[in-house]
Amino acid sequence: MKLYPIETGNFKLDGGAMFGVVPKTLWQRTNAADANNMIDMAARSLLIEDGKRLILIDTGLGNKQSEKFFGYYYQWGDHTLDRSLEKNGFHRDDITDVFMTHLHFDHCGGSIEWNKDRTGYQTAFKNATFWTNENHWQWATQPNVREKASFLMENLLPMQESGQLKFVAQRNSSWIANSELGFDILFVDGHTEKMMLPHITYKGKTLVFAADLVPTAGHIPVPYIMGYDTRPLLTMDEKAVFLDTAVANDYLLFFEHDAHNEICTLQRTEKGVRLDKIFTFNEIFS
């Protein structure tokens, strides 16, 4: 097995929305805001090369939405999914599986693209199976009012219409050991229904793709959760259990949304679980 961080692009979001009820005087210590209260964000994916499989976890925002749409998210930098794949010696047609932690547009928008004549949409990975879970698919395709703007049907329905969509086999548990894709999966429900966090054993370490449970290093303290979460109290409970488990088992956290930090370790302190050390991917796995 070999892993590759894939940078799909950078954008900005409102810092207040990203930290909910936490005051700016606290969160700006770790996530500096600009004059418009916007903080830097990444859309960092992870590529798993394992035998004949090439698995991409999440695909970023994509590029098919309107100029008005992207005007809300202040894209910056020169990262793209294709450029990052090419840098590591791959093409999107090489991808065999696309695993989506959840179906908010900043996690799956890159899964779908315009067709050649721009009359409709098609999957952006023609040789891949797209993985979600049945409960989350129903949640996303029949969205509640709060999340409706995050679940865009043009990002979802083409996966099903193409016949490339498949559901992870769920059990009556929040944990799947050694899923069909070869890694463990933790299900959490605070941010959205049945978000999936991959736990990947690699070079003797457990790397957790933290998705939106811990989107940046600044979100490690339990109360530091996003205003976007549908069940914030549940998020805090889930995060507390996760962080305790992470410390006890020396997990490495892989940040999807932290524009400046890729991976961290954790430590237990008098104030609870906190950041220990920050690493680049290559520093850990060179």
Side-chain angles (χ1 to χ4, degrees), residues 14-225:
D14 182 83
M18 282 300 296
F19 285 92
V21 299
V22 177
K24 182 178 181 179
T25 53
L26 296 179
W27 59 253
Q28 70 177 354
R29 298 173 185 174
T30 56
N31 297 71
D34 65 16
N36 294 316
N37 209 48
M38 310 294 282
I39 63 173
D40 291 348
M41 300 285 288
R44 183 177 296 113
S45 300
L46 185 66
L47 187 65
I48 306 172
E49 185 181 18
D50 191 9
K52 294 182 179 179
R53 264 185 155 154
L54 197 61
I55 306 166
L56 183 63
I57 300 177
D58 283 355
T59 59
L61 285 78
N63 57 15
K64 67 183 176 300
Q65 305 302 139
S66 68
E67 183 177 342
K68 180 180 179 181
F69 176 92
F70 285 119
Y72 298 130
Y73 300 105
Y74 303 90
Q75 290 180 296
W76 57 276
D78 58 2
H79 292 308
T80 69
L81 190 152
D82 286 318
R83 192 174 296 134
S84 189
L85 286 174
E86 183 179 3
K87 178 182 176 181
N88 289 289
F90 301 105
H91 185 274
R92 65 174 58 214
D93 292 350
D94 300 326
I95 304 298
T96 63
D97 300 88
V98 174
F99 179 90
M100 294 163 290
T101 60
H102 60 298
L103 296 168
H104 288 166
F105 65 80
D106 55 321
H107 295 259
C108 73
S111 298
I112 306 299
E113 62 185 3
W114 285 105
N115 58 22
K116 289 184 178 180
D117 55 8
R118 297 181 69 85
T119 58
Y121 302 104
Q122 63 187 22
T123 58
F125 301 89
K126 65 181 183 181
N127 298 315
T129 298
F130 292 86
W131 294 87
T132 183
N133 65 78
E134 190 168 7
N135 284 5
H136 184 65
W137 179 259
Q138 292 177 354
W139 183 269
T141 54
Q142 302 172 41
N144 58 76
V145 174
R146 181 180 175 87
E147 286 184 278
K148 190 173 183 179
S150 295
F151 292 127
L152 307 180
M153 292 306 108
E154 61 266 33
N155 286 338
L156 309 182
L157 299 184
M159 299 180 203
Q160 186 178 55
E161 293 164 354
S162 70
Q164 294 172 254
L165 181 67
K166 191 169 182 178
F167 298 135
V168 171
Q170 287 180 256
R171 306 174 183 89
N172 293 324
S173 171
S174 62
W175 181 261
I176 294 179
N178 195 24
S179 69
E180 298 103 312
L181 292 162
F183 49 75
D184 299 338
I185 299 170
L186 174 67
F187 291 87
V188 288
D189 297 302
H191 178 60
T192 187
E193 179 77 7
K194 294 293 177 291
M195 180 169 68
M196 300 187 289
L197 305 187
H199 288 51
I200 303 156
T201 302
Y202 185 55
K203 295 188 176 182
K205 303 179 185 296
T206 298
L207 182 72
V208 181
F209 192 92
D212 280 346
L213 183 63
V214 190
T216 77
H219 287 85
I220 292 172
V222 170
Y224 286 49
I225 60 173

